[in-house]
Short mmCIF file of all heavy atoms in Angstrom, two decimals:
data_model
loop_
_atom_site.label_atom_id
_atom_site.label_comp_id
_atom_site.label_asym_id
_atom_site.label_seq_id
_atom_site.Cartn_x
_atom_site.Cartn_y
_atom_site.Cartn_z
N PRO A 3 119.71 122.72 110.89
CA PRO A 3 119.22 122.49 109.51
C PRO A 3 117.79 122.93 109.28
O PRO A 3 117.40 123.17 108.13
CB PRO A 3 119.38 120.98 109.34
CG PRO A 3 119.47 120.43 110.74
CD PRO A 3 120.15 121.48 111.54
N VAL A 28 86.47 121.03 105.67
CA VAL A 28 85.97 121.46 104.36
C VAL A 28 86.85 120.93 103.23
O VAL A 28 86.35 120.49 102.19
CB VAL A 28 85.88 123.01 104.30
CG1 VAL A 28 85.47 123.46 102.90
CG2 VAL A 28 84.87 123.52 105.33
N SER A 54 87.03 107.94 83.42
CA SER A 54 87.84 106.73 83.30
C SER A 54 89.34 107.03 83.31
O SER A 54 90.14 106.24 83.82
CB SER A 54 87.49 105.97 82.03
OG SER A 54 87.92 106.69 80.87
N SER A 67 91.86 118.62 87.78
CA SER A 67 90.73 118.81 88.69
C SER A 67 91.18 119.17 90.10
O SER A 67 90.40 119.76 90.87
CB SER A 67 89.85 117.56 88.73
OG SER A 67 90.51 116.48 89.39
N VAL A 108 115.36 114.35 90.86
CA VAL A 108 114.55 113.14 91.07
C VAL A 108 114.12 112.55 89.73
O VAL A 108 114.03 111.33 89.58
CB VAL A 108 113.33 113.46 91.96
CG1 VAL A 108 112.42 112.24 92.11
CG2 VAL A 108 113.78 113.93 93.34
N GLN A 115 116.33 104.48 87.15
CA GLN A 115 115.73 103.28 87.75
C GLN A 115 114.93 102.46 86.75
O GLN A 115 114.73 101.26 86.96
CB GLN A 115 114.83 103.68 88.92
CG GLN A 115 115.59 104.16 90.14
CD GLN A 115 114.68 104.60 91.27
OE1 GLN A 115 113.46 104.74 91.10
NE2 GLN A 115 115.25 104.84 92.44
N ALA A 123 108.46 93.33 81.09
CA ALA A 123 108.34 92.06 80.36
C ALA A 123 107.59 92.34 79.05
O ALA A 123 106.37 92.25 78.98
CB ALA A 123 107.60 91.03 81.21
N LEU A 234 105.08 111.58 87.93
CA LEU A 234 105.25 111.52 86.48
C LEU A 234 105.55 110.10 86.02
O LEU A 234 104.91 109.59 85.10
CB LEU A 234 106.39 112.46 86.05
CG LEU A 234 106.74 112.45 84.56
CD1 LEU A 234 105.59 113.00 83.73
CD2 LEU A 234 108.01 113.26 84.31
N GLY A 249 95.61 106.39 80.89
CA GLY A 249 95.67 107.06 79.59
C GLY A 249 97.01 107.61 79.18
O GLY A 249 97.22 107.90 78.00
N ASP A 264 94.22 87.60 97.78
CA ASP A 264 93.76 87.89 99.14
C ASP A 264 94.54 89.08 99.67
O ASP A 264 95.77 89.01 99.84
CB ASP A 264 93.96 86.67 100.03
CG ASP A 264 93.36 86.87 101.43
OD1 ASP A 264 92.90 87.99 101.72
OD2 ASP A 264 93.36 85.91 102.22
N LEU A 282 109.82 99.94 99.88
CA LEU A 282 109.08 101.19 100.02
C LEU A 282 109.96 102.26 100.67
O LEU A 282 110.01 103.40 100.22
CB LEU A 282 107.82 100.97 100.86
CG LEU A 282 106.71 100.10 100.26
CD1 LEU A 282 105.57 99.94 101.24
CD2 LEU A 282 106.20 100.69 98.96
#
Side-chain angles (χ1 to χ4, degrees):
V28 175
S54 70
S67 70
V108 176
Q115 288 178 350
L234 177 66
D264 186 354
L282 293 178

